[in-house]
Amino acid sequence: MDKWFRRIDTLLLLSALSFVLFFVMPAFFGIRPVRVLSGSMKPEIVEGDMVYIQSCREEDVQTGDVIAFENGNGQMVLHRVIRREEEGFITKGDANDREDFQPVSAEDLIGILAVRFPKGSWLYEMMSSKTMRRVLLLSGLVRIVVYFFRRFSR
């Protein structure tokens, strides 16, 4: 029984560490994980990929960079900067035939593509689910209870 408990405990601990590594730590550096939901950036970035977006200043963005921005509908979009104009950045999805309708202003800029994990969306979905958060919280509580039980039962 103790052997199985240690295995389960190790699995839960690794899950908690993965959650911290992939979702909590990046936030301290201004990086946020995002699931890719559209194929507008094919073939480089495809639906089902997970990307990390690094917050940045307008001056840090160069032509050719892939940026995340908020469109007029309040949705996050990930497109490539084609050129810079006075009104803002002109962007286009690699798989799209035309440029985006509106320039991206500095206020709408979320950040720049930092890292891409091909087909990593499953990790995002698994780790960001309410069930996983509850399991990680419960596992932490179980670890604390077991620690005190073992310590004071001697």
Side-chain angles (χ1 to χ4, degrees):
M1 182 70 171
D2 195 42
K3 181 169 108 176
W4 281 105
F5 176 76
R6 280 185 282 153
R7 286 182 180 170
I8 292 171
D9 186 50
T10 300
L11 183 63
L12 291 173
L13 183 62
L14 288 174
S15 296
L17 289 174
S18 296
F19 181 79
V20 169
L21 179 67
F22 285 103
F23 295 97
V24 177
M25 287 298 294
F28 287 110
F29 301 102
I31 300 172
R32 66 191 263 196
V34 176
R35 281 185 312 160
V36 177
L37 300 175
S38 120
S40 66
M41 286 299 293
K42 286 181 182 177
E44 184 179 337
I45 303 168
V46 298
E47 188 175 348
D49 287 353
M50 184 172 82
V51 295
Y52 282 88
I53 304 300
Q54 169 74 53
S55 59
C56 67
R57 299 178 316 218
E58 181 183 10
E59 305 84 52
D60 298 332
V61 178
Q62 304 293 321
T63 300
D65 287 343
V66 176
I67 61 169
F69 59 93
E70 191 173 305
N71 69 7
N73 299 330
Q75 297 172 320
M76 182 187 295
V77 178
L78 193 68
H79 281 174
R80 188 172 309 280
V81 175
I82 302 301
R83 67 185 176 279
R84 187 181 203 146
E85 292 183 351
E86 196 171 303
E87 303 87 37
F89 300 107
I90 305 301
T91 57
K92 176 183 169 296
D94 290 352
N96 295 347
D97 294 332
R98 289 179 254 177
E99 299 172 349
D100 295 336
F101 296 113
Q102 292 182 313
V104 178
S105 67
E107 295 82 35
D108 294 331
L109 179 65
I110 295 171
I112 191 167
L113 176 68
V115 179
R116 172 184 158 254
F117 287 105
K119 303 296 179 198
S121 160
W122 66 271
L123 177 66
Y124 179 91
E125 291 172 18
M126 181 181 74
M127 289 298 198
S128 63
S129 72
K130 287 182 181 179
T131 304
M132 180 56 91
R133 282 186 245 154
R134 289 179 184 146
V135 165
L136 294 176
L137 179 63
L138 184 61
S139 71
L141 293 173
V142 167
R143 290 179 64 84
I144 291 169
V145 168
V146 168
Y147 171 78
F148 283 111
F149 179 74
R150 284 184 175 171
R151 184 163 190 202
F152 295 115
S153 67
R154 293 179 186 167

